[in-house]
Amino acid sequence: MTAPVTTPAARRASGVFSVFSAFNVFSKKAVVPWLFLAPGLLLALVFKFWPMAKGIWLSFFDVRPFLGDQWIGLDNYTRVLTDHRFQDAIGHTLILGLGQSLGAILLGFVLALLLEGQARSLKIIRTAVFLPAVTATAVVGELWRLMYYPTSDGLLNSGLHLLGFGPVQFLDNPGIALYSTMAMGIWIWAPYNMVIILAGLAGVDRTLYEAAAMDGVSLWQRLRYVTLPAIRPALGIVLTLAAIRGLRVFTEVYVLTGGGPAGSTEVWMTRAYTLGFTRNDIGGASAASVVLLCVTLLLTVTVNYFRKRGDVR
């Protein structure tokens, strides 16, 4: 029996065919995922990236509807950064964002420690505790507005009345309105942080707790030397998200106080909203939004840098 002899031409043809077959398979593997992503990418392009690019473009113009936009360069940025109302708004944003972020992280960590476990009752409680994070902020704001009702009929003032204190103007007093808004923000975002920290706690090696108990270490030492190092990645995610939310806070303030009283709760986003939709200063509002975008990106990169540096250590 004679073995078949493959000529050089046949080998070349076979090689070309195998290359084309691999190319077709690779093409299908490369195209199919993009086909699934195409609708989402199209929506993001139309409703996110194009408006973002348009906003950056308009920040260099004096926008005059029906009269034609006039190029003014960096004048909008100069006007925004030197405006005392924006400077006050920066201070309010930092105070509100920092207090709200730290409070929500601390409360979320405590809730995660209290509600960690596999019992069915804990699952029900965790679901109930998580409800503020999935409830519309506008609804939450109206509920807290009722709680802050400035007479003795309000929920919080009723409790203060039982303790012998008079009604407190939570939202009408410029000295405490910002902190009243902060309390609502902490209540909203603490359950969200709780879920992320719970995911981190689920990966902690239980033998470490057993070894710590056998060594007779205290509860604080277990938290410091076992729990916190183990959930460092989860805390890094929480810090990154909190940094972004802290600078972009808007809905809580707009729904609860609208920036008042007397501008005591006005933050960067509400000031930009006022410029754009109340005073029709589209160029100034665009410049304020671009500055906020740049600061947010810078803060996010900084937080991620220190988080990765801590993970390496």
Side-chain angles (χ1 to χ4, degrees), residues 208-244:
L208 297 176
Y209 289 125
E210 296 174 0
M214 293 179 62
D215 291 337
V217 300
S218 64
L219 177 61
W220 167 247
Q221 290 175 325
R222 273 183 282 176
L223 288 176
R224 181 178 178 182
Y225 296 108
V226 178
T227 305
L228 289 178
I231 64 172
R232 182 178 294 172
L235 289 178
I237 296 173
V238 169
L239 284 173
T240 303
L241 295 176
I244 297 173

PDB file of all heavy atoms in Angstrom, residues 208-244:
ATOM      1  N   LEU A 208      -8.236  32.713  61.405  1.00  0.00           N
ATOM      2  CA  LEU A 208      -7.519  33.839  62.013  1.00  0.00           C
ATOM      3  C   LEU A 208      -8.230  34.314  63.276  1.00  0.00           C
ATOM      4  O   LEU A 208      -7.584  34.656  64.273  1.00  0.00           O
ATOM      5  CB  LEU A 208      -7.407  34.985  61.002  1.00  0.00           C
ATOM      6  CG  LEU A 208      -6.599  34.684  59.733  1.00  0.00           C
ATOM      7  CD1 LEU A 208      -6.654  35.871  58.783  1.00  0.00           C
ATOM      8  CD2 LEU A 208      -5.152  34.356  60.091  1.00  0.00           C
ATOM      9  N   TYR A 209      -9.574  34.334  63.229  1.00  0.00           N
ATOM     10  CA  TYR A 209     -10.334  34.713  64.424  1.00  0.00           C
ATOM     11  C   TYR A 209     -10.147  33.685  65.536  1.00  0.00           C
ATOM     12  O   TYR A 209     -10.032  34.036  66.717  1.00  0.00           O
ATOM     13  CB  TYR A 209     -11.814  34.849  64.093  1.00  0.00           C
ATOM     14  CG  TYR A 209     -12.153  36.049  63.256  1.00  0.00           C
ATOM     15  CD1 TYR A 209     -12.846  35.916  62.059  1.00  0.00           C
ATOM     16  CD2 TYR A 209     -11.799  37.336  63.653  1.00  0.00           C
ATOM     17  CE1 TYR A 209     -13.166  37.012  61.288  1.00  0.00           C
ATOM     18  CE2 TYR A 209     -12.119  38.439  62.886  1.00  0.00           C
ATOM     19  CZ  TYR A 209     -12.803  38.274  61.701  1.00  0.00           C
ATOM     20  OH  TYR A 209     -13.103  39.367  60.940  1.00  0.00           O
ATOM     21  N   GLU A 210     -10.127  32.404  65.169  1.00  0.00           N
ATOM     22  CA  GLU A 210      -9.942  31.361  66.173  1.00  0.00           C
ATOM     23  C   GLU A 210      -8.562  31.457  66.815  1.00  0.00           C
ATOM     24  O   GLU A 210      -8.419  31.315  68.033  1.00  0.00           O
ATOM     25  CB  GLU A 210     -10.135  29.993  65.520  1.00  0.00           C
ATOM     26  CG  GLU A 210     -11.552  29.769  64.985  1.00  0.00           C
ATOM     27  CD  GLU A 210     -11.667  28.462  64.227  1.00  0.00           C
ATOM     28  OE1 GLU A 210     -10.640  27.739  64.128  1.00  0.00           O
ATOM     29  OE2 GLU A 210     -12.772  28.163  63.723  1.00  0.00           O
ATOM     30  N   ALA A 211      -7.557  31.712  65.988  1.00  0.00           N
ATOM     31  CA  ALA A 211      -6.202  31.853  66.542  1.00  0.00           C
ATOM     32  C   ALA A 211      -6.105  33.086  67.433  1.00  0.00           C
ATOM     33  O   ALA A 211      -5.452  33.055  68.491  1.00  0.00           O
ATOM     34  CB  ALA A 211      -5.200  31.951  65.392  1.00  0.00           C
ATOM     35  N   ALA A 212      -6.784  34.176  67.025  1.00  0.00           N
ATOM     36  CA  ALA A 212      -6.763  35.385  67.847  1.00  0.00           C
ATOM     37  C   ALA A 212      -7.467  35.157  69.174  1.00  0.00           C
ATOM     38  O   ALA A 212      -7.019  35.638  70.217  1.00  0.00           O
ATOM     39  CB  ALA A 212      -7.427  36.534  67.082  1.00  0.00           C
ATOM     40  N   ALA A 213      -8.589  34.395  69.145  1.00  0.00           N
ATOM     41  CA  ALA A 213      -9.298  34.113  70.395  1.00  0.00           C
ATOM     42  C   ALA A 213      -8.456  33.257  71.333  1.00  0.00           C
ATOM     43  O   ALA A 213      -8.462  33.457  72.555  1.00  0.00           O
ATOM     44  CB  ALA A 213     -10.624  33.418  70.083  1.00  0.00           C
ATOM     45  N   MET A 214      -7.712  32.300  70.750  1.00  0.00           N
ATOM     46  CA  MET A 214      -6.859  31.453  71.585  1.00  0.00           C
ATOM     47  C   MET A 214      -5.712  32.254  72.189  1.00  0.00           C
ATOM     48  O   MET A 214      -5.256  31.954  73.303  1.00  0.00           O
ATOM     49  CB  MET A 214      -6.300  30.299  70.749  1.00  0.00           C
ATOM     50  CG  MET A 214      -7.363  29.298  70.295  1.00  0.00           C
ATOM     51  SD  MET A 214      -6.661  27.989  69.288  1.00  0.00           S
ATOM     52  CE  MET A 214      -5.536  27.226  70.456  1.00  0.00           C
ATOM     53  N   ASP A 215      -5.267  33.281  71.485  1.00  0.00           N
ATOM     54  CA  ASP A 215      -4.185  34.124  72.024  1.00  0.00           C
ATOM     55  C   ASP A 215      -4.706  35.146  73.027  1.00  0.00           C
ATOM     56  O   ASP A 215      -3.900  35.850  73.663  1.00  0.00           O
ATOM     57  CB  ASP A 215      -3.477  34.861  70.886  1.00  0.00           C
ATOM     58  CG  ASP A 215      -2.683  33.896  70.016  1.00  0.00           C
ATOM     59  OD1 ASP A 215      -2.332  32.808  70.510  1.00  0.00           O
ATOM     60  OD2 ASP A 215      -2.426  34.233  68.838  1.00  0.00           O
ATOM     61  N   GLY A 216      -6.027  35.243  73.174  1.00  0.00           N
ATOM     62  CA  GLY A 216      -6.611  36.143  74.156  1.00  0.00           C
ATOM     63  C   GLY A 216      -6.575  37.611  73.778  1.00  0.00           C
ATOM     64  O   GLY A 216      -6.553  38.480  74.656  1.00  0.00           O
ATOM     65  N   VAL A 217      -6.579  37.912  72.475  1.00  0.00           N
ATOM     66  CA  VAL A 217      -6.542  39.316  72.055  1.00  0.00           C
ATOM     67  C   VAL A 217      -7.925  39.933  72.246  1.00  0.00           C
ATOM     68  O   VAL A 217      -8.944  39.244  72.247  1.00  0.00           O
ATOM     69  CB  VAL A 217      -6.099  39.444  70.580  1.00  0.00           C
ATOM     70  CG1 VAL A 217      -4.713  38.866  70.377  1.00  0.00           C
ATOM     71  CG2 VAL A 217      -7.103  38.753  69.658  1.00  0.00           C
ATOM     72  N   SER A 218      -7.940  41.231  72.366  1.00  0.00           N
ATOM     73  CA  SER A 218      -9.196  41.945  72.583  1.00  0.00           C
ATOM     74  C   SER A 218      -9.955  42.118  71.270  1.00  0.00           C
ATOM     75  O   SER A 218      -9.431  41.864  70.177  1.00  0.00           O
ATOM     76  CB  SER A 218      -8.919  43.318  73.204  1.00  0.00           C
ATOM     77  OG  SER A 218      -8.170  44.124  72.308  1.00  0.00           O
ATOM     78  N   LEU A 219     -11.214  42.573  71.395  1.00  0.00           N
ATOM     79  CA  LEU A 219     -12.045  42.791  70.218  1.00  0.00           C
ATOM     80  C   LEU A 219     -11.451  43.871  69.318  1.00  0.00           C
ATOM     81  O   LEU A 219     -11.428  43.739  68.085  1.00  0.00           O
ATOM     82  CB  LEU A 219     -13.466  43.190  70.649  1.00  0.00           C
ATOM     83  CG  LEU A 219     -14.450  43.535  69.525  1.00  0.00           C
ATOM     84  CD1 LEU A 219     -14.655  42.342  68.603  1.00  0.00           C
ATOM     85  CD2 LEU A 219     -15.779  44.010  70.096  1.00  0.00           C
ATOM     86  N   TRP A 220     -10.963  44.945  69.916  1.00  0.00           N
ATOM     87  CA  TRP A 220     -10.363  46.011  69.131  1.00  0.00           C
ATOM     88  C   TRP A 220      -9.131  45.518  68.380  1.00  0.00           C
ATOM     89  O   TRP A 220      -8.904  45.885  67.218  1.00  0.00           O
ATOM     90  CB  TRP A 220      -9.993  47.175  70.038  1.00  0.00           C
ATOM     91  CG  TRP A 220      -9.092  48.180  69.397  1.00  0.00           C
ATOM     92  CD1 TRP A 220      -7.804  48.459  69.713  1.00  0.00           C
ATOM     93  CD2 TRP A 220      -9.406  49.028  68.290  1.00  0.00           C
ATOM     94  NE1 TRP A 220      -7.285  49.428  68.884  1.00  0.00           N
ATOM     95  CE2 TRP A 220      -8.252  49.803  68.003  1.00  0.00           C
ATOM     96  CE3 TRP A 220     -10.548  49.223  67.507  1.00  0.00           C
ATOM     97  CZ2 TRP A 220      -8.206  50.737  66.982  1.00  0.00           C
ATOM     98  CZ3 TRP A 220     -10.502  50.153  66.482  1.00  0.00           C
ATOM     99  CH2 TRP A 220      -9.362  50.904  66.231  1.00  0.00           C
ATOM    100  N   GLN A 221      -8.309  44.685  69.013  1.00  0.00           N
ATOM    101  CA  GLN A 221      -7.116  44.162  68.343  1.00  0.00           C
ATOM    102  C   GLN A 221      -7.487  43.246  67.190  1.00  0.00           C
ATOM    103  O   GLN A 221      -6.819  43.233  66.154  1.00  0.00           O
ATOM    104  CB  GLN A 221      -6.237  43.422  69.360  1.00  0.00           C
ATOM    105  CG  GLN A 221      -5.558  44.342  70.373  1.00  0.00           C
ATOM    106  CD  GLN A 221      -4.803  43.576  71.433  1.00  0.00           C
ATOM    107  OE1 GLN A 221      -5.216  42.492  71.848  1.00  0.00           O
ATOM    108  NE2 GLN A 221      -3.684  44.135  71.897  1.00  0.00           N
ATOM    109  N   ARG A 222      -8.581  42.465  67.355  1.00  0.00           N
ATOM    110  CA  ARG A 222      -9.025  41.622  66.247  1.00  0.00           C
ATOM    111  C   ARG A 222      -9.486  42.460  65.062  1.00  0.00           C
ATOM    112  O   ARG A 222      -9.213  42.144  63.903  1.00  0.00           O
ATOM    113  CB  ARG A 222     -10.153  40.698  66.710  1.00  0.00           C
ATOM    114  CG  ARG A 222      -9.674  39.393  67.325  1.00  0.00           C
ATOM    115  CD  ARG A 222     -10.822  38.498  67.698  1.00  0.00           C
ATOM    116  NE  ARG A 222     -11.455  38.944  68.943  1.00  0.00           N
ATOM    117  CZ  ARG A 222     -12.533  38.380  69.470  1.00  0.00           C
ATOM    118  NH1 ARG A 222     -13.119  37.377  68.855  1.00  0.00           N
ATOM    119  NH2 ARG A 222     -13.024  38.811  70.609  1.00  0.00           N
ATOM    120  N   LEU A 223     -10.202  43.555  65.372  1.00  0.00           N
ATOM    121  CA  LEU A 223     -10.645  44.436  64.296  1.00  0.00           C
ATOM    122  C   LEU A 223      -9.457  45.093  63.602  1.00  0.00           C
ATOM    123  O   LEU A 223      -9.426  45.206  62.366  1.00  0.00           O
ATOM    124  CB  LEU A 223     -11.585  45.515  64.850  1.00  0.00           C
ATOM    125  CG  LEU A 223     -12.980  45.070  65.272  1.00  0.00           C
ATOM    126  CD1 LEU A 223     -13.735  46.233  65.885  1.00  0.00           C
ATOM    127  CD2 LEU A 223     -13.747  44.533  64.075  1.00  0.00           C
ATOM    128  N   ARG A 224      -8.474  45.504  64.376  1.00  0.00           N
ATOM    129  CA  ARG A 224      -7.352  46.264  63.827  1.00  0.00           C
ATOM    130  C   ARG A 224      -6.382  45.387  63.051  1.00  0.00           C
ATOM    131  O   ARG A 224      -5.909  45.785  61.966  1.00  0.00           O
ATOM    132  CB  ARG A 224      -6.618  46.970  64.967  1.00  0.00           C
ATOM    133  CG  ARG A 224      -5.438  47.809  64.503  1.00  0.00           C
ATOM    134  CD  ARG A 224      -4.779  48.514  65.680  1.00  0.00           C
ATOM    135  NE  ARG A 224      -3.618  49.291  65.235  1.00  0.00           N
ATOM    136  CZ  ARG A 224      -2.825  49.972  66.061  1.00  0.00           C
ATOM    137  NH1 ARG A 224      -3.076  49.972  67.378  1.00  0.00           N
ATOM    138  NH2 ARG A 224      -1.801  50.645  65.577  1.00  0.00           N
ATOM    139  N   TYR A 225      -6.060  44.198  63.577  1.00  0.00           N
ATOM    140  CA  TYR A 225      -5.000  43.395  62.986  1.00  0.00           C
ATOM    141  C   TYR A 225      -5.504  42.244  62.116  1.00  0.00           C
ATOM    142  O   TYR A 225      -4.706  41.647  61.376  1.00  0.00           O
ATOM    143  CB  TYR A 225      -4.110  42.826  64.094  1.00  0.00           C
ATOM    144  CG  TYR A 225      -3.384  43.892  64.874  1.00  0.00           C
ATOM    145  CD1 TYR A 225      -3.751  44.201  66.186  1.00  0.00           C
ATOM    146  CD2 TYR A 225      -2.348  44.625  64.298  1.00  0.00           C
ATOM    147  CE1 TYR A 225      -3.092  45.182  66.908  1.00  0.00           C
ATOM    148  CE2 TYR A 225      -1.678  45.615  65.016  1.00  0.00           C
ATOM    149  CZ  TYR A 225      -2.061  45.886  66.313  1.00  0.00           C
ATOM    150  OH  TYR A 225      -1.406  46.877  67.013  1.00  0.00           O
ATOM    151  N   VAL A 226      -6.793  41.918  62.197  1.00  0.00           N
ATOM    152  CA  VAL A 226      -7.325  40.814  61.398  1.00  0.00           C
ATOM    153  C   VAL A 226      -8.369  41.314  60.393  1.00  0.00           C
ATOM    154  O   VAL A 226      -8.232  41.117  59.182  1.00  0.00           O
ATOM    155  CB  VAL A 226      -7.950  39.726  62.308  1.00  0.00           C
ATOM    156  CG1 VAL A 226      -8.544  38.600  61.451  1.00  0.00           C
ATOM    157  CG2 VAL A 226      -6.911  39.169  63.253  1.00  0.00           C
ATOM    158  N   THR A 227      -9.410  41.977  60.902  1.00  0.00           N
ATOM    159  CA  THR A 227     -10.522  42.350  60.028  1.00  0.00           C
ATOM    160  C   THR A 227     -10.140  43.438  59.035  1.00  0.00           C
ATOM    161  O   THR A 227     -10.361  43.295  57.827  1.00  0.00           O
ATOM    162  CB  THR A 227     -11.718  42.818  60.877  1.00  0.00           C
ATOM    163  OG1 THR A 227     -12.066  41.792  61.820  1.00  0.00           O
ATOM    164  CG2 THR A 227     -12.911  43.113  59.990  1.00  0.00           C
ATOM    165  N   LEU A 228      -9.597  44.551  59.522  1.00  0.00           N
ATOM    166  CA  LEU A 228      -9.295  45.678  58.626  1.00  0.00           C
ATOM    167  C   LEU A 228      -8.288  45.325  57.534  1.00  0.00           C
ATOM    168  O   LEU A 228      -8.503  45.677  56.362  1.00  0.00           O
ATOM    169  CB  LEU A 228      -8.809  46.874  59.453  1.00  0.00           C
ATOM    170  CG  LEU A 228      -9.880  47.559  60.308  1.00  0.00           C
ATOM    171  CD1 LEU A 228      -9.257  48.686  61.119  1.00  0.00           C
ATOM    172  CD2 LEU A 228     -11.005  48.092  59.431  1.00  0.00           C
ATOM    173  N   PRO A 229      -7.166  44.627  57.829  1.00  0.00           N
ATOM    174  CA  PRO A 229      -6.269  44.252  56.717  1.00  0.00           C
ATOM    175  C   PRO A 229      -6.928  43.312  55.711  1.00  0.00           C
ATOM    176  O   PRO A 229      -6.631  43.382  54.511  1.00  0.00           O
ATOM    177  CB  PRO A 229      -5.102  43.560  57.433  1.00  0.00           C
ATOM    178  CG  PRO A 229      -5.125  44.111  58.822  1.00  0.00           C
ATOM    179  CD  PRO A 229      -6.568  44.310  59.149  1.00  0.00           C
ATOM    180  N   ALA A 230      -7.827  42.445  56.186  1.00  0.00           N
ATOM    181  CA  ALA A 230      -8.457  41.480  55.278  1.00  0.00           C
ATOM    182  C   ALA A 230      -9.462  42.137  54.335  1.00  0.00           C
ATOM    183  O   ALA A 230      -9.643  41.677  53.201  1.00  0.00           O
ATOM    184  CB  ALA A 230      -9.141  40.375  56.078  1.00  0.00           C
ATOM    185  N   ILE A 231     -10.123  43.201  54.779  1.00  0.00           N
ATOM    186  CA  ILE A 231     -11.138  43.840  53.935  1.00  0.00           C
ATOM    187  C   ILE A 231     -10.604  45.118  53.289  1.00  0.00           C
ATOM    188  O   ILE A 231     -11.390  45.959  52.841  1.00  0.00           O
ATOM    189  CB  ILE A 231     -12.410  44.161  54.750  1.00  0.00           C
ATOM    190  CG1 ILE A 231     -12.112  45.196  55.842  1.00  0.00           C
ATOM    191  CG2 ILE A 231     -13.000  42.909  55.351  1.00  0.00           C
ATOM    192  CD1 ILE A 231     -13.356  45.696  56.551  1.00  0.00           C
ATOM    193  N   ARG A 232      -9.277  45.268  53.228  1.00  0.00           N
ATOM    194  CA  ARG A 232      -8.703  46.476  52.631  1.00  0.00           C
ATOM    195  C   ARG A 232      -9.146  46.689  51.183  1.00  0.00           C
ATOM    196  O   ARG A 232      -9.447  47.823  50.790  1.00  0.00           O
ATOM    197  CB  ARG A 232      -7.176  46.417  52.725  1.00  0.00           C
ATOM    198  CG  ARG A 232      -6.494  47.669  52.179  1.00  0.00           C
ATOM    199  CD  ARG A 232      -4.987  47.574  52.346  1.00  0.00           C
ATOM    200  NE  ARG A 232      -4.629  47.578  53.754  1.00  0.00           N
ATOM    201  CZ  ARG A 232      -3.396  47.342  54.193  1.00  0.00           C
ATOM    202  NH1 ARG A 232      -2.430  47.044  53.326  1.00  0.00           N
ATOM    203  NH2 ARG A 232      -3.131  47.382  55.486  1.00  0.00           N
ATOM    204  N   PRO A 233      -9.218  45.651  50.326  1.00  0.00           N
ATOM    205  CA  PRO A 233      -9.719  45.891  48.960  1.00  0.00           C
ATOM    206  C   PRO A 233     -11.141  46.432  48.934  1.00  0.00           C
ATOM    207  O   PRO A 233     -11.461  47.333  48.154  1.00  0.00           O
ATOM    208  CB  PRO A 233      -9.627  44.512  48.304  1.00  0.00           C
ATOM    209  CG  PRO A 233      -8.573  43.798  49.079  1.00  0.00           C
ATOM    210  CD  PRO A 233      -8.728  44.272  50.489  1.00  0.00           C
ATOM    211  N   ALA A 234     -12.012  45.890  49.786  1.00  0.00           N
ATOM    212  CA  ALA A 234     -13.396  46.383  49.831  1.00  0.00           C
ATOM    213  C   ALA A 234     -13.440  47.822  50.317  1.00  0.00           C
ATOM    214  O   ALA A 234     -14.201  48.648  49.783  1.00  0.00           O
ATOM    215  CB  ALA A 234     -14.238  45.484  50.750  1.00  0.00           C
ATOM    216  N   LEU A 235     -12.624  48.149  51.314  1.00  0.00           N
ATOM    217  CA  LEU A 235     -12.583  49.531  51.794  1.00  0.00           C
ATOM    218  C   LEU A 235     -12.039  50.472  50.725  1.00  0.00           C
ATOM    219  O   LEU A 235     -12.463  51.632  50.637  1.00  0.00           O
ATOM    220  CB  LEU A 235     -11.707  49.614  53.052  1.00  0.00           C
ATOM    221  CG  LEU A 235     -12.291  48.987  54.326  1.00  0.00           C
ATOM    222  CD1 LEU A 235     -11.285  49.096  55.468  1.00  0.00           C
ATOM    223  CD2 LEU A 235     -13.596  49.651  54.712  1.00  0.00           C
ATOM    224  N   GLY A 236     -11.107  49.987  49.896  1.00  0.00           N
ATOM    225  CA  GLY A 236     -10.604  50.815  48.811  1.00  0.00           C
ATOM    226  C   GLY A 236     -11.692  51.157  47.809  1.00  0.00           C
ATOM    227  O   GLY A 236     -11.789  52.300  47.331  1.00  0.00           O
ATOM    228  N   ILE A 237     -12.538  50.189  47.492  1.00  0.00           N
ATOM    229  CA  ILE A 237     -13.664  50.445  46.585  1.00  0.00           C
ATOM    230  C   ILE A 237     -14.633  51.439  47.209  1.00  0.00           C
ATOM    231  O   ILE A 237     -15.122  52.374  46.550  1.00  0.00           O
ATOM    232  CB  ILE A 237     -14.377  49.122  46.246  1.00  0.00           C
ATOM    233  CG1 ILE A 237     -13.436  48.191  45.474  1.00  0.00           C
ATOM    234  CG2 ILE A 237     -15.644  49.375  45.448  1.00  0.00           C
ATOM    235  CD1 ILE A 237     -13.994  46.815  45.238  1.00  0.00           C
ATOM    236  N   VAL A 238     -14.919  51.262  48.483  1.00  0.00           N
ATOM    237  CA  VAL A 238     -15.845  52.158  49.173  1.00  0.00           C
ATOM    238  C   VAL A 238     -15.299  53.581  49.189  1.00  0.00           C
ATOM    239  O   VAL A 238     -16.038  54.554  48.960  1.00  0.00           O
ATOM    240  CB  VAL A 238     -16.099  51.643  50.607  1.00  0.00           C
ATOM    241  CG1 VAL A 238     -16.830  52.688  51.433  1.00  0.00           C
ATOM    242  CG2 VAL A 238     -16.915  50.358  50.568  1.00  0.00           C
ATOM    243  N   LEU A 239     -14.007  53.731  49.452  1.00  0.00           N
ATOM    244  CA  LEU A 239     -13.403  55.062  49.487  1.00  0.00           C
ATOM    245  C   LEU A 239     -13.446  55.729  48.118  1.00  0.00           C
ATOM    246  O   LEU A 239     -13.706  56.930  48.011  1.00  0.00           O
ATOM    247  CB  LEU A 239     -11.956  54.961  49.976  1.00  0.00           C
ATOM    248  CG  LEU A 239     -11.762  54.750  51.475  1.00  0.00           C
ATOM    249  CD1 LEU A 239     -10.288  54.486  51.784  1.00  0.00           C
ATOM    250  CD2 LEU A 239     -12.254  55.953  52.271  1.00  0.00           C
ATOM    251  N   THR A 240     -13.187  54.961  47.066  1.00  0.00           N
ATOM    252  CA  THR A 240     -13.230  55.524  45.717  1.00  0.00           C
ATOM    253  C   THR A 240     -14.627  56.021  45.377  1.00  0.00           C
ATOM    254  O   THR A 240     -14.807  57.148  44.877  1.00  0.00           O
ATOM    255  CB  THR A 240     -12.778  54.476  44.687  1.00  0.00           C
ATOM    256  OG1 THR A 240     -11.462  54.005  45.026  1.00  0.00           O
ATOM    257  CG2 THR A 240     -12.755  55.064  43.296  1.00  0.00           C
ATOM    258  N   LEU A 241     -15.628  55.193  45.630  1.00  0.00           N
ATOM    259  CA  LEU A 241     -17.008  55.595  45.333  1.00  0.00           C
ATOM    260  C   LEU A 241     -17.442  56.768  46.207  1.00  0.00           C
ATOM    261  O   LEU A 241     -18.148  57.672  45.739  1.00  0.00           O
ATOM    262  CB  LEU A 241     -17.951  54.406  45.548  1.00  0.00           C
ATOM    263  CG  LEU A 241     -17.741  53.210  44.606  1.00  0.00           C
ATOM    264  CD1 LEU A 241     -18.669  52.066  44.990  1.00  0.00           C
ATOM    265  CD2 LEU A 241     -17.972  53.618  43.158  1.00  0.00           C
ATOM    266  N   ALA A 242     -17.008  56.773  47.463  1.00  0.00           N
ATOM    267  CA  ALA A 242     -17.373  57.866  48.362  1.00  0.00           C
ATOM    268  C   ALA A 242     -16.746  59.178  47.913  1.00  0.00           C
ATOM    269  O   ALA A 242     -17.372  60.243  48.014  1.00  0.00           O
ATOM    270  CB  ALA A 242     -16.945  57.535  49.789  1.00  0.00           C
ATOM    271  N   ALA A 243     -15.514  59.129  47.407  1.00  0.00           N
ATOM    272  CA  ALA A 243     -14.859  60.343  46.922  1.00  0.00           C
ATOM    273  C   ALA A 243     -15.613  60.939  45.743  1.00  0.00           C
ATOM    274  O   ALA A 243     -15.789  62.162  45.644  1.00  0.00           O
ATOM    275  CB  ALA A 243     -13.422  60.035  46.536  1.00  0.00           C
ATOM    276  N   ILE A 244     -16.071  60.085  44.837  1.00  0.00           N
ATOM    277  CA  ILE A 244     -16.825  60.571  43.678  1.00  0.00           C
ATOM    278  C   ILE A 244     -18.163  61.140  44.108  1.00  0.00           C
ATOM    279  O   ILE A 244     -18.566  62.227  43.677  1.00  0.00           O
ATOM    280  CB  ILE A 244     -17.009  59.428  42.666  1.00  0.00           C
ATOM    281  CG1 ILE A 244     -15.648  58.960  42.144  1.00  0.00           C
ATOM    282  CG2 ILE A 244     -17.899  59.870  41.516  1.00  0.00           C
ATOM    283  CD1 ILE A 244     -15.726  57.734  41.270  1.00  0.00           C
TER     284      ILE A 244
END
